Amino acid sequence: MNQHHLNTIVLAVSLAFSAGAMAQNMTKANYQVGKDKIAAEYKAAKAACDALSGNAEDICMAEAKGKEKVAKADLEASYKPTVKAHYNARVAKAEADYAVAKERCDDLAGNAKDVCVKEAKAAQTTAKANAKVQMKTKDANAAARETTSDARSKASEQASEARKDAAEDKSDAGYQVAKEKCDQFSGAAKDQCQAQAKARFGK
């Protein structure tokens, strides 16, 4: 099966799943309908993947499973729109994207594959860190609205701390990618590459 056909299937899967969890303020009955629709769409997506083979099939299945997971999380966030539910939806998206990206890396070999996996992991770490910052900031701001200016100051502090933690996580992930790229070199060139990576990320 050619790449164009694969892309068409992936797009169809994406559109189908995205339609399943768009409703806001839904009733319990509509929530159940949404769940049933997601299950049916996953079954159809899986059947489409069965027509493929090799890594193309693996990528397609990762796409299908990821879309199902994201659709379920989005549905939950629509049914019970809490800060935590929206955070879970963003994490589900990060994990789904990582699973697909990792499968795509299997088309590569050697250092190129190692770098690809590290970059996929870095993207996941970044997305999760950003989701955590958003959740903590919303929680802190909500608490601040209910209390005094002292609490607002504390909320700002907590949000700042969350951003700092996120920045550290993202920096660590970036360093892992840079370090992995150095493995394509040897001797002095590799040493120089590693030194530059350490300097760039403050390690």
Side-chain angles (χ1 to χ4, degrees):
M1 183 170 293
N2 62 34
Q3 186 62 36
H4 176 70
H5 194 180
L6 174 59
N7 289 342
T8 301
I9 290 173
V10 170
L11 178 62
V13 170
S14 175
L15 292 175
F17 276 114
S18 65
M22 296 282 288
Q24 292 289 336
N25 302 320
M26 63 180 62
T27 63
K28 188 171 183 179
N30 285 340
Y31 170 70
Q32 188 57 51
V33 168
K35 282 179 71 175
D36 293 342
K37 188 174 182 182
I38 290 168
E41 287 168 349
Y42 171 68
K43 187 176 179 181
K46 185 174 179 297
C49 294
D50 288 341
L52 304 174
S53 63
N55 199 44
E57 182 179 8
D58 294 341
I59 292 170
C60 185
M61 280 304 303
E63 287 267 11
K65 288 176 181 177
K67 298 294 181 189
E68 180 196 32
K69 187 174 183 178
V70 171
K72 283 181 176 178
D74 283 344
L75 183 67
E76 290 295 332
S78 295
Y79 185 49
K80 296 179 181 177
T82 62
V83 172
K84 179 69 171 174
H86 285 293
Y87 166 75
N88 288 340
R90 293 190 70 181
V91 168
K93 176 75 166 59
E95 290 176 345
D97 287 347
Y98 172 65
V100 173
K102 208 167 95 167
E103 286 296 344
R104 290 189 188 282
C105 293
D106 285 346
D107 284 331
L108 304 173
N111 182 247
K113 181 177 179 178
D114 294 340
V115 170
C116 181
V117 171
K118 282 287 195 302
E119 286 178 336
K121 187 66 179 174
Q124 180 195 39
T125 299
T126 297
K128 283 187 171 184
N130 289 340
K132 194 171 184 180
V133 168
Q134 187 182 63
M135 179 180 69
K136 284 184 175 289
T137 300
K138 284 184 177 179
D139 281 343
N141 287 340
R145 283 195 293 271
E146 296 173 3
T147 53
T148 64
S149 60
D150 286 342
R152 281 195 293 274
S153 176
K154 186 177 180 183
S156 177
E157 230 174 79
Q158 289 174 339
S160 177
E161 188 177 329
R163 283 191 292 271
K164 183 183 174 186
D165 289 344
E168 287 177 1
D169 288 345
K170 288 185 271 190
S171 176
D172 286 344
Y175 174 61
Q176 291 302 321
V177 172
K179 195 169 70 167
E180 192 66 47
K181 287 181 178 179
C182 293
D183 285 350
Q184 65 186 296
F185 304 114
S186 62
K190 182 174 182 178
D191 292 341
Q192 184 181 8
C193 178
Q194 289 175 336
Q196 288 174 342
K198 286 180 180 179
R200 181 181 168 194
F201 293 98
K203 301 299 180 185

